[in-house]
Amino acid sequence: MTQVIVVNGGSSSGKSGIVRCLQAVLPDPWLALGTDTLVDAMPASMQASDGGIEFAPDGEVTIGPEFRTLEAAWIEGVSAMARAGARIIVDEVFLGGASSQRRWQKALGELRVLWVGVRCDAAVAAAREVARGDRTIGMAASQAEVVHKGVTYDLEVDTAHAEAMECARTIAAQVK
């Protein structure tokens, strides 16, 4: 039985909407945790230091060593929750592409994981980013492809051509 669903895509690609829809259509309760959960849990000072996470005016995201330390602990914690019996959907942005996936693979180990790529044309994601008004402009376009570089998926969905609920149903059909 699938224990963890890792949903990876760039900013404004539609991941969070898909995750909410997944929680609605899956028959059992699933916890939704994501990179935004981690960033929100960090002290504000981590968003203004070289060691934390920085969002440049052009949308570039820079990750420092203090962030990586906390991220590693968080990934281990999410994995431990899954081992303890919680079903978890991870809403992620693999800024490091394949190396980001490897960090999760190592922590998730023997757990049954469904790896899902959320694709979205960079122009569509950029338009969503502007419409949302709560993101650094440029982040969506800069992340649209880099987050998928070298990443292996069990399934991919494209939110430029399908609504969140349709994507969620496609994903849910693969959950065993």
Side-chain angles (χ1 to χ4, degrees), residues 9-15 18 117-128 144-145 148 156-167:
S11 179
S12 299
S13 64
K15 299 178 311 299
I18 291 171
V118 177
R119 301 268 183 181
C120 184
D121 179 80
V124 172
R128 290 177 184 166
E145 292 302 320
H148 300 292
E156 293 186 43
V157 294
D158 186 339
T159 63
H161 300 97
E163 294 295 323
M165 185 55 83
E166 182 182 346
C167 293

Coordinates of all heavy atoms in Angstrom, one line a residue, residues 9-15 18 117-128 144-145 148 156-167:
G9 N 7.0 19.9 -8.2 CA 6.8 20.9 -9.3 C 7.3 22.2 -8.9 O 7.5 22.5 -7.7
G10 N 7.4 23.1 -9.8 CA 7.8 24.5 -9.6 C 6.7 25.3 -8.9 O 5.6 24.9 -8.8
S11 N 7.1 26.5 -8.5 CA 6.2 27.5 -7.9 C 5.1 27.8 -8.9 O 5.3 27.9 -10.1 CB 7.0 28.7 -7.6 OG 6.2 29.7 -7.0
S12 N 3.9 27.8 -8.3 CA 2.7 28.2 -9.1 C 2.3 27.2 -10.2 O 1.6 27.5 -11.1 CB 2.8 29.6 -9.7 OG 2.9 30.6 -8.7
S13 N 2.8 25.9 -10.0 CA 2.5 24.9 -11.0 C 1.2 24.2 -10.7 O 0.6 23.5 -11.6 CB 3.6 23.8 -11.0 OG 3.7 23.2 -9.8
G14 N 0.6 24.4 -9.5 CA -0.7 23.9 -9.2 C -0.6 22.7 -8.2 O -1.6 22.0 -7.9
K15 N 0.6 22.5 -7.6 CA 0.8 21.4 -6.6 C -0.2 21.5 -5.5 O -0.8 20.5 -5.1 CB 2.2 21.3 -6.1 CG 3.3 21.1 -7.1 CD 4.6 21.2 -6.5 CE 4.9 22.3 -5.5 NZ 4.8 23.7 -6.1
I18 N -3.7 20.5 -6.3 CA -3.8 19.0 -6.5 C -3.8 18.3 -5.1 O -4.6 17.4 -4.9 CB -2.6 18.5 -7.4 CG1 -2.8 19.1 -8.8 CG2 -2.5 17.0 -7.3 CD1 -1.7 18.8 -9.7
G117 N 5.3 14.0 -10.8 CA 5.8 15.2 -11.3 C 4.6 16.1 -11.7 O 3.7 15.6 -12.4
V118 N 4.6 17.4 -11.3 CA 3.6 18.3 -11.7 C 4.2 19.3 -12.7 O 5.0 20.1 -12.3 CB 2.9 19.1 -10.5 CG1 1.9 20.1 -11.0 CG2 2.3 18.1 -9.6
R119 N 3.9 19.1 -14.0 CA 4.4 20.0 -15.0 C 3.4 21.1 -15.3 O 2.2 21.0 -15.1 CB 4.6 19.2 -16.3 CG 5.5 18.0 -16.2 CD 6.9 18.4 -16.5 NE 7.8 17.2 -16.5 CZ 9.0 17.3 -16.8 NH1 9.6 18.4 -17.1 NH2 9.8 16.2 -16.7
C120 N 4.0 22.2 -15.7 CA 3.2 23.4 -16.1 C 4.1 24.3 -17.0 O 5.2 24.6 -16.6 CB 2.7 24.1 -14.9 SG 1.6 25.5 -15.3
D121 N 3.6 24.6 -18.1 CA 4.3 25.5 -19.0 C 4.7 26.7 -18.2 O 3.9 27.3 -17.4 CB 3.4 25.9 -20.2 CG 4.1 26.8 -21.1 OD1 4.9 26.4 -21.9 OD2 3.8 28.1 -21.0
A122 N 6.0 27.2 -18.4 CA 6.5 28.3 -17.7 C 5.7 29.6 -17.8 O 5.5 30.3 -16.8 CB 8.0 28.6 -18.1
A123 N 5.1 29.8 -19.0 CA 4.3 31.0 -19.2 C 3.0 31.0 -18.4 O 2.6 32.0 -17.9 CB 4.1 31.2 -20.7
V124 N 2.4 29.8 -18.4 CA 1.2 29.6 -17.6 C 1.5 29.8 -16.1 O 0.7 30.5 -15.4 CB 0.6 28.2 -17.9 CG1 -0.6 27.9 -17.0 CG2 0.1 28.1 -19.4
A125 N 2.5 29.2 -15.6 CA 2.9 29.3 -14.2 C 3.2 30.7 -13.9 O 2.8 31.2 -12.8 CB 4.1 28.4 -13.9
A126 N 3.9 31.4 -14.8 CA 4.2 32.8 -14.5 C 2.9 33.7 -14.4 O 2.9 34.6 -13.6 CB 5.1 33.4 -15.6
A127 N 2.0 33.4 -15.3 CA 0.7 34.2 -15.2 C 0.0 33.9 -13.9 O -0.6 34.8 -13.3 CB -0.2 33.8 -16.4
R128 N 0.0 32.7 -13.5 CA -0.6 32.3 -12.2 C 0.1 33.1 -11.0 O -0.5 33.5 -10.1 CB -0.5 30.8 -11.9 CG -1.4 30.0 -12.8 CD -1.2 28.5 -12.5 NE -2.0 27.7 -13.4 CZ -1.8 26.4 -13.6 NH1 -0.8 25.8 -12.8 NH2 -2.5 25.7 -14.4
A144 N 10.2 26.2 -13.4 CA 9.4 25.3 -14.2 C 10.0 24.0 -14.7 O 9.4 23.0 -14.7 CB 8.8 26.1 -15.4
E145 N 11.3 24.1 -15.1 CA 12.0 23.0 -15.7 C 13.0 22.4 -14.7 O 13.2 21.2 -14.6 CB 12.6 23.3 -17.0 CG 11.6 23.5 -18.1 CD 10.6 22.3 -18.3 OE1 11.1 21.1 -18.3 OE2 9.4 22.5 -18.5
H148 N 12.6 19.4 -12.3 CA 12.3 18.1 -12.9 C 13.6 17.5 -13.5 O 13.6 16.3 -13.8 CB 11.3 18.2 -14.0 CG 10.0 18.7 -13.6 ND1 9.2 18.0 -12.7 CD2 9.3 19.9 -13.8 CE1 8.1 18.7 -12.5 NE2 8.1 19.8 -13.1
E156 N 3.3 11.6 -14.2 CA 3.4 13.0 -14.4 C 2.0 13.5 -14.8 O 1.3 12.9 -15.5 CB 4.4 13.4 -15.4 CG 5.8 13.1 -15.0 CD 6.8 13.6 -16.0 OE1 6.7 14.7 -16.5 OE2 7.8 12.8 -16.3
V157 N 1.7 14.7 -14.3 CA 0.4 15.4 -14.7 C 0.8 16.8 -15.2 O 1.9 17.3 -14.8 CB -0.6 15.5 -13.6 CG1 -1.1 14.1 -13.2 CG2 0.0 16.2 -12.3
D158 N 0.0 17.4 -16.0 CA 0.3 18.7 -16.6 C -0.9 19.6 -16.3 O -2.0 19.5 -16.8 CB 0.5 18.6 -18.1 CG 0.9 19.9 -18.7 OD1 0.7 21.0 -18.1 OD2 1.5 19.9 -19.8
T159 N -0.7 20.6 -15.4 CA -1.8 21.5 -15.0 C -2.1 22.6 -16.0 O -3.0 23.3 -15.8 CB -1.5 22.1 -13.6 OG1 -0.3 22.9 -13.7 CG2 -1.3 21.0 -12.5
A160 N -1.3 22.7 -17.0 CA -1.6 23.7 -18.1 C -2.7 23.1 -18.9 O -3.4 23.9 -19.6 CB -0.4 24.0 -18.9
H161 N -2.9 21.8 -18.9 CA -3.9 21.1 -19.7 C -5.0 20.4 -18.9 O -5.9 19.8 -19.5 CB -3.2 20.2 -20.7 CG -2.3 20.8 -21.6 ND1 -0.9 20.9 -21.3 CD2 -2.5 21.6 -22.7 CE1 -0.3 21.6 -22.3 NE2 -1.2 22.0 -23.1
A162 N -4.9 20.3 -17.6 CA -5.9 19.6 -16.8 C -6.1 20.4 -15.5 O -5.1 20.9 -14.9 CB -5.5 18.2 -16.5
E163 N -7.3 20.4 -15.0 CA -7.6 21.0 -13.7 C -7.1 20.2 -12.5 O -6.8 19.0 -12.7 CB -9.2 21.2 -13.6 CG -9.8 22.2 -14.5 CD -9.3 23.6 -14.4 OE1 -9.1 24.0 -13.2 OE2 -9.1 24.3 -15.4
A164 N -7.0 20.8 -11.4 CA -6.4 20.1 -10.2 C -7.2 18.9 -9.9 O -6.6 17.9 -9.5 CB -6.4 21.1 -9.0
M165 N -8.5 18.9 -9.9 CA -9.3 17.7 -9.5 C -9.0 16.6 -10.5 O -8.9 15.4 -10.1 CB -10.8 18.0 -9.5 CG -11.6 16.9 -9.0 SD -11.1 16.2 -7.4 CE -11.9 17.3 -6.3
E166 N -8.9 16.9 -11.8 CA -8.7 15.8 -12.8 C -7.3 15.2 -12.5 O -7.1 14.0 -12.6 CB -8.7 16.4 -14.2 CG -8.5 15.4 -15.3 CD -8.5 16.0 -16.7 OE1 -9.0 17.2 -16.8 OE2 -8.0 15.3 -17.6
C167 N -6.3 16.1 -12.2 CA -5.0 15.6 -11.9 C -5.0 14.7 -10.6 O -4.4 13.7 -10.6 CB -4.0 16.8 -11.7 SG -3.7 17.7 -13.2

